[in-house]
Amino acid sequence: QSLGMAVGPTLAVVLTSLAFAESLFIGVAFCALALLLLVCACTYESHPKRLPETSAYRVRCERDIEGGAGSVSAGISREPLIRSLFVKSALPGAIPMVIACLGYSIIVNFTSLYAVGRGLVNPGMFFVFAAITMTVVRLGGGSLIDRISPARLYVAPIACGVLSLVLLANVSSEWMLWISGAAFGLSMGLAFPLLNSVCVKNTVPERWGAASGLFGLMNDVGIGVGALVWGAVADITGFVPVMYGGCAMLALSYAAALMLFPKG
């Protein structure tokens, strides 16, 4: 997920630099087609016994079969969509996530346009450095999440995110852009698995899928709403105040984490 968000803007820059203007939309269409094919390959509904024994879906299927329903399809959940997605126990990770993504959305959506406006010729390098540091921190971050309490560890991605935004607000050279990209990769690469782990570890095993689903939804909501809000603000004030607004969102995310994270 993090790598996709880092590589996506770079790919968009490459596609928009091609000879025909429609190349970006054609590229997105191919990505959507690939996603559709992968989704069609997910067949766990037809094989409930491959799921963990505590899986709510598997339990329902086995109960219905024992009760004479006669088919696995009878075990499909008919609970309301809101209830199936809303997992109260996952909110301690999901709420800081949506607030943080209101800050991250500025970087994801506007960095390329902003860097070009500041006279930097290769804004795609920002995301190259972000992808590198993100990969590194994701490979080694798991042990940190297991050994350090979430509230203490969350300081690191918040600090790196603020550093990235401050550097962007004052960027005047390529090297500042690269450092900002590296800091962004460290921030998002650690924040996403940390907050996801808070969602999951605070939830009973049979609702882990729903907890991860809520986490992903909050990510999308934050990125999408942030693009709309900060785009409107940038039209009025320019991008520099927007960057500092992103810092405020990250600080607010940490404040929410301090209040919501489980103790210990």
Side-chain angles (χ1 to χ4, degrees), residues 45 97 255:
E45 297 94 339
M97 179 79 261

Side-chain angles (χ1 to χ4, degrees), residues 136-226:
V136 171
V137 76
R138 288 298 292 268
L139 291 175
S143 60
L144 294 176
I145 293 172
D146 292 334
R147 290 188 288 110
I148 303 176
S149 68
R152 290 178 58 191
L153 186 57
Y154 197 40
V155 174
I158 292 299
C160 289
V162 169
L163 174 62
S164 177
L165 286 162
V166 170
L167 285 173
L168 279 178
N170 297 277
V171 67
S172 59
S173 62
E174 297 286 343
W175 67 266
M176 290 181 68
L177 186 69
W178 301 343
I179 295 176
S180 177
F184 171 62
L186 290 173
S187 178
M188 200 166 69
L190 185 55
F192 276 40
L194 172 60
L195 294 173
N196 194 24
S197 72
V198 172
C199 287
V200 172
K201 290 179 180 179
N202 206 41
T203 304
V204 293
E206 57 266 28
R207 296 289 281 165
W208 281 353
S212 291
L214 180 64
F215 173 81
L217 177 63
M218 292 299 100
N219 171 21
D220 293 337
V221 168
I223 296 296
V225 172

Side-chain angles (χ1 to χ4, degrees), residues 20-248:
F20 52 101
E22 296 83 2
S23 58
L24 174 63
F25 302 100
I26 294 173
V28 172
F30 274 109
C31 289
L33 177 61
L35 175 61
L36 179 61
L37 294 175
L38 290 172
V39 169
C40 291
C42 296
T43 59
Y44 74 89
E45 297 94 339
S46 302
H47 307 281
K49 290 188 176 181
R50 295 179 183 177
L51 297 172
E53 292 183 0
T54 57
S55 168
Y57 180 80
R58 175 175 175 176
V59 170
R60 281 194 297 269
C61 288
E62 293 176 344
R63 183 175 62 242
D64 288 344
I65 291 174
E66 291 173 358
S71 68
V72 170
S73 61
I76 296 176
S77 172
R78 302 300 181 186
E79 63 183 347
L81 178 62
I82 296 298
R83 181 182 173 188
S84 66
L85 288 177
F86 184 79
V87 186
K88 184 178 179 181
S89 58
L91 291 179
I95 292 176
M97 179 79 261
V98 69
I99 300 173
C101 281
L102 290 172
Y104 288 136
S105 67
I106 297 168
I107 300 175
V108 172
N109 292 301
F110 303 122
T111 293
S112 296
L113 179 63
Y114 172 69
V116 170
R118 298 289 293 235
L120 302 176
V121 297
N122 193 6
M125 289 301 296
F126 175 96
F127 296 101
V128 171
F129 278 88
I132 293 172
T133 56
M134 195 177 300
T135 302
V136 171
V137 76
R138 288 298 292 268
L139 291 175
S143 60
L144 294 176
I145 293 172
D146 292 334
R147 290 188 288 110
I148 303 176
S149 68
R152 290 178 58 191
L153 186 57
Y154 197 40
V155 174
I158 292 299
C160 289
V162 169
L163 174 62
S164 177
L165 286 162
V166 170
L167 285 173
L168 279 178
N170 297 277
V171 67
S172 59
S173 62
E174 297 286 343
W175 67 266
M176 290 181 68
L177 186 69
W178 301 343
I179 295 176
S180 177
F184 171 62
L186 290 173
S187 178
M188 200 166 69
L190 185 55
F192 276 40
L194 172 60
L195 294 173
N196 194 24
S197 72
V198 172
C199 287
V200 172
K201 290 179 180 179
N202 206 41
T203 304
V204 293
E206 57 266 28
R207 296 289 281 165
W208 281 353
S212 291
L214 180 64
F215 173 81
L217 177 63
M218 292 299 100
N219 171 21
D220 293 337
V221 168
I223 296 296
V225 172
L228 293 173
V229 172
W230 294 118
V233 173
D235 286 341
I236 300 172
T237 66
F239 280 115
V240 172
V242 166
M243 299 297 175
Y244 290 111
C247 293

